C-alpha cells in the first residue's frame, strides 16, 4: 500500500531501520502514515496553536501561528513530494513535526532560552523537536515519546551541533559523517523556508510593518506585482496581495520540483542511501529563483523581523522567559509536580534541562500568565499546562 507510485530513491518502510521499540505493523496505514497520525494526536502539536510564528498570539487573530505555519509547510511539502515520487506521508509527518520543540514567542523565545541554557548545553529548537517526539510526549503505555520511524526522526533533526550529534546515536550520525537525510527531509526543510517567506510577506503587510512600495523592489514580488496590476488594474489591495503571494508560491514550488528533478537525473540515485551519500543536497531551486528567494528572506529579516516594533516585543518576551527560567531554577517548588520531582532529583545542569523542557512546552499566553503569577508572588499553581 505504502509503496505504490514511489520512486526507488523514496523512503520505503520495508528497508527502513524502523522504530526504536519494535511494534506490530499497522493494519490499514503505512508506517509513515502512522507517524503523521501520532504527531497530529500529540499534545505538543495542539500547543502550536498558541505559539508565535512572527507575531505574538495576542497581537491579532489573523496572523500565522506555529500551527497554521506547520500546516502550510505540510501543504507545500506534500505537493513537491507527490510530484517527485517521494513518500507523501513521511514528508507530511516531518513538516507537521518540524516545530514541535519551538519555544513560546518564536525566535525571540528560542534565543532567550538558549541564553539561559548557555552553561548547561544550550537550547536548540530543532533538537528539542526531536526530544519531544523521542521522550517528552507521554502518551503510550509501552514507551516514552511517539516511537517514530527513523526517517521521520532524521527529517525532524535538521541541524545539530557536533557535540549533541555524538549523543544522539543513529540519528546524529549524519552530522558527524557529513551525509544528508533522505529527499523527503530535504523537501520538508525547503517547504519550511518557502512557507514562511511567503506568509510573512502577507502577515507583515497586514501588520503595516512592511509596505507594497518596499516589496515591489523585491524581484520575486515585483515581477508578479507588475503582471497582476497590469491584468487587473482595479483589484483592491488585499486581493492583489493574495494573488501575488499565490503566484510567488507557485513560482518557487514549481522551480523546486523542476530543479530537483534535474538534480535527480544527474546524480541518478537508486536508493535512499544513494540520496544520503550523494555528497550534495538533491532537493533545491534553480540558481536564479534561489537568489530571489534568498533576497526576499534577507529583506524580511531586515525590515520585518528586525522592525523596531518587533524588537520592542522581542525585549519584552525575552525578559519574561528569562525571569521564568531563573524563578524555576531558584524555586523548583513553582514547577508542576512531575517537573518538580525531576528537577529536585537532578544536579544543576539536569535541573536546567527540566526547566528548559517545561518552558519550551509553554504557549505564549501560558508563559505570560505564569510570569504574572510568579511575579505576583503567588503560591505554586496546582495542575500543569
Ligand atoms: Mg518552521
Amino acid at each position: 500500500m505504502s509503496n505504490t507510485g514511489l520512486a526507488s530513491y523514496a523512503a520505503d518502510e520495508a528497508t527502513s531501520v524502523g522504530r526504536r521499540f519494535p511494534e506490530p505493523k499497522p493494519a490499514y496505514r503505512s508506517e509513515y502514515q502512522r507517524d503523521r497520525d501520532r504527531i497530529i494526536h500529540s499534545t505538543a502539536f495542539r500547543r502550536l496553536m498558541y505559539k508565535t510564528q512572527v507575531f505574538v498570539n495576542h497581537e491579532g487573530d489573523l496572523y500565522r501561528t506555529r500551527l497554521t505555519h506547520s500546516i502550510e509547510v505540510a501543504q507545500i511539502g506534500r505537493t513537491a513530494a507527490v510530484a517527485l515520487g517521494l513518500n507523501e506521508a513521511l514528508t507530511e509527518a516531518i513538516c507537521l513535526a518540524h516545530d514541535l520543540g519551538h519555544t513560546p514567542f518564536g525566535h525571540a523565545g528560542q534565543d532567550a532560552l538558549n541564553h539561559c541554557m548557555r552553561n548547561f548545553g544550550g537550547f536548540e529548537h530543532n533538537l528539542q523537536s526531536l526530544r519531544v517526539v523521542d521522550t517528552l510526549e507521554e502518551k503510550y503505555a509501552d514507551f516514552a515519546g511517539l516511537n517514530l520511524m527513523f526517517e521521520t526522526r532524521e527529517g525532524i533533526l535538521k541541524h545539530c551541533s557536533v557535540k549533541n550529534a555524538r549523543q544522539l546515536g543513529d540519528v546524529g550520525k549524519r552530522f558527524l559523517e557529513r551525509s544528508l537525510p533522505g529527499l523527503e527531509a530535504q523537501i520538508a526543510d525547503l517547504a519550511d523556508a518557502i512557507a514562511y517567506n511567503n506568509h510573512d510577506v502577507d502577515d507583515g503587510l497586514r501588520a503595516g510593518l512592511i509596505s507594497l512600495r518596499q516589496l515591489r523592489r523585491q524581484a520575486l514580488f515585483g515581477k508578479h506585482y507588475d503582471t497582476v496590476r497590469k491584468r487587473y488594474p482595479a483589484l483592491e489591495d488585499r486581493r492583489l496581495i493574495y494573488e501575488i503571494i499565490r503566484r510567488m508560491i507557485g513560482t518557487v514550488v514549481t522551480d523546486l520540483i523542476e530543479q530537483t528533478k534535474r538534480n535527480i537525473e544527474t546524480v541518478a540515485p537508486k536508493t535512499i542511501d544513494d540520496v544520503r551519500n550523494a555528497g550534495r543536497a538533491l532537493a533545491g531551486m534553480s540558481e536564479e529563483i534561489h537568489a530571489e528567494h534568498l533576497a526576499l528572506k534577507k529583506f524580511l529579516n531586515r525590515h520585518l523581523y528586525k522592525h523596531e516594533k518587533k524588537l520592542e516585543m522581542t525585549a519584552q518576551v525575552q525578559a519574561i522567559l528569562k525571569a521564568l527560567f531563573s524563578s524555576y531554577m531558584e524555586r523548583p517548588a513553582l514547577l508542576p509536580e512531575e517537573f518538580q520531582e525531576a528537577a529536585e532529583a537532578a544536579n544543576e545542569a539536569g535541573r536546567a534541562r527540566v526547566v528548559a523542557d517545561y518552558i519550551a512546552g509553554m504557549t505564549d499566553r501560558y508563559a505570560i500568565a505564569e510570569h504574572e503569577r510568579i511575579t505576583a508572588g503567588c503560591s505554586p499553581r496546582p495542575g500543569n499546562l
Side-chain angles (χ1 to χ4, degrees), residues 66 69 98-99 192:
R66 224 153 257 285
H69 160 70
H98 84 282
D99 271 347
D192 183 23

Side-chain angles (χ1 to χ4, degrees), residues 9-34:
Y9 46 77
D12 180 354
E13 62 185 59
T15 56
S16 169
V17 188
R19 302 181 189 278
R20 294 199 294 170
F21 305 95
E23 293 184 67
K25 269 175 152 329
Y28 303 107
R29 295 173 292 177
S30 72
E31 295 283 11
Y32 302 111
Q33 284 174 320
R34 172 149 76 179

Side-chain angles (χ1 to χ4, degrees), residues 53 66 69-70 73 95 98-99 102 107 125 158 192-193 196:
Q53 180 61 29
R66 224 153 257 285
H69 160 70
S70 300
V73 174
C95 292
H98 84 282
D99 271 347
H102 224 293
H107 281 276
H125 85 268
K158 287 198 260 189
D192 183 23
Y196 67 65

Side-chain angles (χ1 to χ4, degrees), residues 152-263:
T152 314
R153 299 172 59 236
E154 172 190 52
I156 291 172
L157 192 66
K158 287 198 260 189
H159 329 278
C160 179
S161 63
V162 168
K163 192 168 154 248
N164 286 326
R166 284 204 188 97
Q167 293 160 18
L168 288 173
D170 56 0
V171 87
K173 238 166 94 182
R174 77 177 163 92
F175 299 96
L176 307 174
E177 293 171 351
R178 296 179 175 276
S179 60
L180 291 138
L183 266 163
E184 288 82 355
Q186 295 182 27
I187 289 291
D189 190 14
L190 289 161
D192 183 23
I194 297 170
Y196 67 65
N197 236 14
N198 284 282
H199 63 48
D200 290 350
V201 166
D202 189 30
D203 283 353
L205 282 167
R206 185 184 300 283
L209 300 188
I210 51 177
S211 68
L212 279 174
R213 210 163 52 91
Q214 285 174 308
L215 279 160
R216 282 177 64 185
R217 294 198 290 268
Q218 289 304 308
L220 199 52
F221 191 96
K223 63 185 171 194
H224 290 302
Y225 178 95
D226 293 342
T227 318
V228 178
R229 256 287 172 250
K230 207 167 155 196
R231 179 135 179 232
Y232 308 95
L235 202 60
E236 44 121 351
D237 275 0
R238 279 307 323 162
R239 285 176 75 177
L240 170 79
I241 291 163
Y242 188 69
E243 185 64 37
I244 294 167
I245 291 173
R246 85 174 183 106
R247 286 166 189 246
M248 288 203 298
I249 298 174
T251 298
V252 178
V253 174
T254 305
D255 182 80
L256 167 66
I257 292 167
E258 285 171 4
Q259 183 61 43
T260 303
K261 273 187 182 164
R262 285 193 287 273
N263 296 345

